């Protein structure tokens, strides 16, 4: 059992008694009121009736998330422990909050989708916390806010992050920071504490320049069929089919990203000359975040040694791989991917797929068609018009 598995098993076993701690369950009215007041002070100001989109990572049983929903905010919680997430869903039932089971270090949520990211006593547990902070910053909209409740616990053998350490880590990302020591406020903990407990509120540097995620999708053909995998255990679009895909990493071109993702997910090793650009799509999710997707096609039957034989290399994220007819795609697909494959089959090269709020992430046979093909200049027209 790896370190991550051991940590998850610990929190799984702790879930049943987690709320017994005063600052976990917030059952005492005084403790609950103390945390509610602090949260209101740490969140950015908004006019009445304008909620914030808050991401609560390592949400545990959802006690802080519940306080946020009671103040009218839209909350998404993420916790690696399934029993913790189950208790959070029960606690937050009827509030409109979403609770996902996933890795808080790399949560299964869209980038630039949140105004505030909240964590409590989490960052110190994660490997490479500075890299995690950079990843978390990408989840926030420009000028978003990190609310980091951390500490250094224990007197004889302390663990955690000091406020000085965390302040140094956050400095490259933040336009403004505010540090508050929380240990002296016994109302937050339901008792006197002597170790260092604090919150670091960091406003990220805003930007007026638009930027988008770039992702890549593999259309692996076997005659009239295409390869699709069923998402599982990611906390996002689980149970739906999607082509092998992933994000372009810093310093990586789109073709290299496609080749890397194909091998990581399916074991298919593609040479650069085997992949061809099929389609470019700008897509907006129902949550309002935009991305640009490059769809590449390759032939599974012409690879080395008689063809490529895909296998499921990521069973923790994909429950099955299968071949499906391109001219009769299944309905249980991610709408984004389904639209891309339909456009590819129709011979389109550049398209928009612009969801509206309330649209389904999954393909909806009765839903609106958001696919908009963009006209393309005929070959040679642009050059001839300049002569």
């Amino acid at each position: 059992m790896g370190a991550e598995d051991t940590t998850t098993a610990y929190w799984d076993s702790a879930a049943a008694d987690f709320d017994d701690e005063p600052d976990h369950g917030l059952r005492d009215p005084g403790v609950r009121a103390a945390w509610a007041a602090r949260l209101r002070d740490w969140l950015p100001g908004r006019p009445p009736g304008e909620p914030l989109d808050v991401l609560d990572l390592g949400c545990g049983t959802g006690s802080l998330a519940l306080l946020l929903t009671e103040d009218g905010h839209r909350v998404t919680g993420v916790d690696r422990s399934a029993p913790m997430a189950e208790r959070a869903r029960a606690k937050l039932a009827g509030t409109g909050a979403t609770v996902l089971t996933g890795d808080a270090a790399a949560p299964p949520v869209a980038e630039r989708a949140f105004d505030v990211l909240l964590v409590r006593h989490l960052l110190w547990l994660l490997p490479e916390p500075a890299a995690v902070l950079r990843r978390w910053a990408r989840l926030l909209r420009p000028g978003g806010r990190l609310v980091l409740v951390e500490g250094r616990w224990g007197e004889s053998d302390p663990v955690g992050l000091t406020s000085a350490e965390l302040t140094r880590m956050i400095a490259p990302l933040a336009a403004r920071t505010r540090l508050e020591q929380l240990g002296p406020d016994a109302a937050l903990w339901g008792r006197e504490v002597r170790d260092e407990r604090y919150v670091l509120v960091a406003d990220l540097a805003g930007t007026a320049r638009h930027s988008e995620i770039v992702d890549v999708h593999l259309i692996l053909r076997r005659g009239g069929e295409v390869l699709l995998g069923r998402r599982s255990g990611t906390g996002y679009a689980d149970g739906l089919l999607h082509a092998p895909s992933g994000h372009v990493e810093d310093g990586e071109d789109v073709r290299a990203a496609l080749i890397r993702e194909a091998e990581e997910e399916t074991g298919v090793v593609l040479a650069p000359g085997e992949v061809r650009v099929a389609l470019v799509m700008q897509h907006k999710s129902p949550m309002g975040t935009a991305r640009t997707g490059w769809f590449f096609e390759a032939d599974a039957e012409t690879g080395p040694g008689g063809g490529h034989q895909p296998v499921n290399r990521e069973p923790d994220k994909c429950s099955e791989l299968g071949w499906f007819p391109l001219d009769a795609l299944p309905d249980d697909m991610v709408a984004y991917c389904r639209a891309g494959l339909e456009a590819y089959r129709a011979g389109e090269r550049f398209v928009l797929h612009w969801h509206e709020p309330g649209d389904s992430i999954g393909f909806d046979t009765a839903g609106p068609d958001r696919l908009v093909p963009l006209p393309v200049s005929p070959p040679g027209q642009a050059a001839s018009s300049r002569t």
Side-chain angles (χ1 to χ4, degrees), residues 218-221 223-230 241-244 279 281 295 322-346 363-365 371:
L218 173 62
I219 305 174
L220 188 63
R221 298 286 302 270
E225 298 177 312
V226 293
L227 183 71
L228 300 175
R230 193 172 302 279
L241 292 164
H242 199 283
L279 176 79
M281 172 192 286
F295 290 72
W323 296 98
F324 297 84
L326 181 61
D327 61 358
L329 291 169
D331 290 339
D332 55 339
M333 291 185 65
V334 175
Y336 173 21
C337 180
R338 166 86 181 226
L341 291 180
E342 292 283 11
Y344 163 75
R345 188 167 67 90
F363 174 71
D364 183 357
T365 56
L371 188 67

Side-chain angles (χ1 to χ4, degrees), residues 27-358:
R27 292 166 174 163
D28 181 273
V31 176
R32 182 182 180 85
W35 279 102
R38 292 282 185 158
L39 286 173
R40 293 187 191 105
D41 186 50
W42 297 335
L43 297 187
R46 285 288 177 92
E50 290 190 18
L52 295 162
D53 290 305
V54 183
L55 179 61
D56 182 2
L57 295 180
C59 67
T61 60
S63 295
L64 293 185
L66 182 59
L67 293 181
L68 293 166
T69 63
E70 289 173 350
D71 277 348
H73 300 300
R74 293 184 292 259
V75 181
T76 299
V78 178
D79 203 281
R80 177 188 287 275
S81 166
M84 289 282 192
E86 288 171 7
R87 284 164 171 77
R89 291 187 189 102
K91 189 177 291 185
L92 293 163
T95 66
T98 299
V99 179
L100 306 175
T101 304
D103 183 1
V109 297
E111 295 188 0
R112 295 181 174 265
F114 300 93
D115 302 303
V116 177
L117 187 152
L118 167 70
V119 299
R120 181 170 64 165
H121 304 167
L122 171 68
L123 186 63
W124 73 280
L125 289 167
L126 303 178
E128 301 183 23
V132 170
L133 286 170
R134 291 193 297 272
R135 196 175 304 128
W136 286 351
R138 294 198 293 270
L139 304 179
L140 293 172
R141 295 171 181 136
R145 176 171 291 186
L146 292 168
V147 178
L148 310 172
V149 182
E150 292 292 338
R152 180 79 169 163
W153 300 278
E155 297 180 49
S156 60
D157 189 17
V159 296
L161 290 170
T162 66
S163 57
E165 289 171 326
L166 185 52
T167 299
R168 284 194 296 270
M169 284 185 209
I170 204 68
L173 302 173
R176 291 172 300 278
T177 60
R178 170 178 143 207
L179 179 68
E180 294 179 19
Q181 293 294 337
L182 304 179
D185 188 353
L188 292 171
W189 318 108
R191 64 186 186 280
E192 297 289 338
V193 298
R194 296 185 179 180
D195 41 27
E196 184 185 26
R197 306 185 187 196
Y198 60 89
V199 64
L200 185 63
V201 179
D203 290 323
L204 302 189
T207 176
R209 182 170 295 178
H210 176 70
S211 62
E212 291 185 354
I213 303 165
V214 177
D215 52 26
V216 291
H217 307 257
L218 173 62
I219 305 174
L220 188 63
R221 298 286 302 270
R222 188 179 71 176
E225 298 177 312
V226 293
L227 183 71
L228 300 175
R230 193 172 302 279
R231 296 176 63 89
S232 175
T234 69
Y236 182 81
D238 289 336
L240 298 177
L241 292 164
H242 199 283
S245 61
H247 292 177
V248 178
E249 297 181 352
D250 288 344
E252 188 177 43
D253 66 65
V254 291
R255 184 174 64 176
L258 184 280
I259 292 171
R260 172 182 55 75
E261 289 287 351
E263 183 175 6
E264 289 176 358
E265 295 188 18
T266 71
V268 170
V269 179
L270 295 167
E274 290 185 83
V275 299
R276 301 169 297 278
V277 176
L279 176 79
V280 178
M281 172 192 286
Q282 190 189 31
H283 161 76
K284 186 179 75 171
S285 75
M287 291 82 75
T289 52
R291 63 181 59 211
T292 297
W294 288 67
F295 290 72
F296 289 83
E297 63 177 348
D299 192 336
E301 298 179 308
T302 61
H308 298 291
Q309 301 297 324
V311 296
N312 187 0
R313 293 278 299 274
E314 295 183 334
D316 58 324
K317 299 178 182 178
C318 175
S319 61
E320 63 169 318
L321 284 177
W323 296 98
F324 297 84
L326 181 61
D327 61 358
L329 291 169
D331 290 339
D332 55 339
M333 291 185 65
V334 175
Y336 173 21
C337 180
R338 166 86 181 226
L341 291 180
E342 292 283 11
Y344 163 75
R345 188 167 67 90
E348 303 293 347
R349 302 289 287 181
F350 301 94
V351 297
L352 301 176
H353 186 251
W354 220 240
H355 272 309
E356 296 295 335

